[in-house]
């Protein structure tokens, strides 16, 4: 299939010579395709270590509170 140039006399909106009238041009592209690459993948090591440290602090605090209630401290 080959592309053919439109005939100015047969195509509405075209002036002599193939130009278009002001206001007949299509709107600009919207650019809705988005990025053409994958987003960078984040590692899981830092969140796991951070959550582990928070869990350790919680366990220590709870153990201290239970020890205080029992009378160990």
């Amino acid at each position: 299939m080959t592309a053919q140039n439109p005939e100015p006399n047969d195509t509405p909106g075209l002036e002599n010579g193939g130009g278009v009238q002001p206001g007949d041009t299509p709107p600009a592209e919207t650019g809705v395709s988005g990025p053409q690459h994958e987003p960078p993948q984040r590692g899981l090591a830092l969140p796991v270590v951070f959550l582990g440290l928070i869990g350790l602090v919680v366990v220590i605090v709870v153990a201290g509170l239970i020890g205080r209630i029992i009378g160990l401290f």
Side-chain angles (χ1 to χ4, degrees):
M1 179 179 270
T2 59
Q4 298 176 353
N5 292 332
E7 286 293 326
N9 296 334
D10 297 336
T11 306
L14 289 180
E15 294 179 340
N16 292 333
V20 294
Q21 298 173 359
D24 282 349
T25 57
E29 293 182 17
T30 59
V32 296
S33 65
Q36 301 296 322
H37 57 84
E38 291 291 323
Q41 299 296 322
R42 298 176 187 249
L44 291 177
L46 187 61
V48 169
V49 169
F50 184 69
L51 290 175
L53 289 174
I54 289 176
L56 182 64
V57 169
V58 167
V59 168
I60 290 172
V61 168
V62 168
L65 290 175
I66 291 174
R68 184 90 169 180
I69 290 172
I70 294 175
L72 297 176
F73 303 109

